[in-house]
Amino acid sequence: MTIFISGGAKNGKSTLAQNMAVKLSEGGKHYYIATMIPVDEEDRERIRRHIADRDGLGFETIECPRNILNCLKLGDPEGTFLLDSATALFMNELFRQERNYEMDPEAPDRCARELCEFVRSVKNAVIVSDGIYSDAQKFDESTEVYRRGLARIDRALAGACDTVVEVSAGVPTVHKGALPL
């Protein structure tokens, strides 16, 4: 089963995703795919909080900030994968160090294609993304490119996954499929 979870920041997406991944694994292998490349203390604190939240749940962590298909070599495709988050993965792909952090115009389509291939290649996957594209405010051009690219990726994932959930104020709303009981 594949589950796509989206919503605003600090709305309970990660907790729901962890619970769903543990449930889907049925006591088997479950992997946490860490995508964030920390750049400041706030990022490092967020990582520490996520690690503490997963403590005791039996996740094996796979560090994969780019090239998501590499996870297929590092984990058992018959296991359950929790990718948190598509938002950070896309940021890392869009602004790559080897491109001097200039925007890669191919990144949205490449990310969407690779994430969809990833969810089709594993038994169970839970993908978390941030719904940062729904407000009406106009931002600078690079932020708009990022927001439009993430929206494109999220639409592709919503189409590829069995279940689509939006979390708002800790309340999950299922838009497609069903959550595992």
Side-chain angles (χ1 to χ4, degrees), residues 3 38 42 49 59 70 91 93 109 115 120 136 140 142-143 160 171 177 179:
I3 302 171
E42 182 179 347
R49 190 175 60 251
F59 281 97
N70 286 339
M91 176 69 80
E93 291 284 356
D109 292 333
L115 281 165
R120 287 190 300 268
D140 63 81
S142 65
T143 302
V171 178
L179 290 174

Side-chain angles (χ1 to χ4, degrees), residues 35-37 65 84-93 130 146 150:
T35 58
M36 181 178 276
I37 298 172
D84 195 355
S85 72
T87 311
L89 178 73
F90 175 50
M91 176 69 80
N92 301 336
E93 291 284 356
D130 294 306
Y146 179 69
L150 185 62

Side-chain angles (χ1 to χ4, degrees), residues 12 18 32 44 58 62 69 73 76 82 87 94 102 117 124 135 141 149 157 160:
Q18 289 170 11
Y32 181 91
R44 286 185 279 284
I62 298 173
L69 295 176
K73 301 172 194 162
D76 179 1
L82 166 54
T87 311
L94 185 62
E102 291 180 24
E117 183 178 338
N124 296 308
D135 64 30
E141 183 56 29
L157 282 167

Side-chain angles (χ1 to χ4, degrees), residues 66-67 90-108 110 145:
R66 289 191 301 269
N67 303 314
F90 175 50
M91 176 69 80
N92 301 336
E93 291 284 356
L94 185 62
F95 298 103
R96 295 179 74 110
Q97 182 179 7
E98 58 270 19
R99 291 178 55 93
N100 295 320
Y101 299 104
E102 291 180 24
M103 279 192 292
D104 177 358
E106 305 298 319
R110 182 179 63 252
V145 167

Side-chain angles (χ1 to χ4, degrees), residues 17-39:
Q18 289 170 11
N19 292 337
M20 293 298 98
V22 169
K23 177 122 184 98
L24 288 173
S25 72
E26 299 173 339
K29 280 283 211 185
H30 46 287
Y31 306 95
Y32 181 91
I33 303 171
T35 58
M36 181 178 276
I37 298 172
V39 296

